[in-house]
Amino acid sequence: MLVHGYAAGATTYELGTRFGIERRTVSNILNRHDVPMRRRGLSPDQVDTAIHLYNIGWSLVRVGARLGVDHATVLTKLRERGVPTRDAHGRPRS
């Protein structure tokens, strides 16, 4: 069951993949069952890794998948560190 998987340590991303549903749907189900959510974020070392991967050409989505977080989390951390970002076509943002 999904709730038991989360309690055992699986992430919402892992559970989404396992059950064939979106991560947000997993979160909604857990919220309906009053399951406290874990907030992961990225450690400073993971942010360093994200910056490296992004700078060698990985997309935000790919970096997020590698680190187990949403691409928006990666983008936020890159911006906090002042890393220039690219648009969807790989061009520098102005």
Side-chain angles (χ1 to χ4, degrees):
M1 183 171 171
L2 190 139
V3 172
H4 295 298
Y6 189 77
T11 67
T12 57
Y13 289 93
E14 292 167 342
L15 293 168
T17 299
R18 186 182 311 164
F19 290 98
I21 57 178
E22 292 281 327
R23 176 205 53 86
R24 289 183 200 117
T25 304
V26 172
S27 295
N28 290 338
I29 292 168
L30 294 171
N31 286 331
R32 281 197 305 267
H33 287 86
D34 297 319
V35 176
M37 300 298 294
R38 298 185 300 268
R39 301 286 180 213
R40 277 195 64 225
L42 292 172
S43 70
D45 286 342
Q46 288 175 310
V47 175
D48 292 341
T49 298
I51 291 168
H52 170 72
L53 295 174
Y54 187 75
N55 283 337
I56 64 170
W58 285 33
S59 69
L60 293 172
V61 171
R62 187 175 176 199
V63 173
R66 169 74 163 72
L67 298 174
V69 297
D70 190 76
H71 72 280
T73 302
V74 176
L75 179 59
T76 298
K77 293 301 180 183
L78 293 179
R79 287 180 174 162
E80 286 175 2
R81 294 271 190 101
V83 175
T85 56
R86 303 180 298 270
D87 67 13
H89 302 287
R91 298 179 298 236
R93 292 187 190 272
S94 33

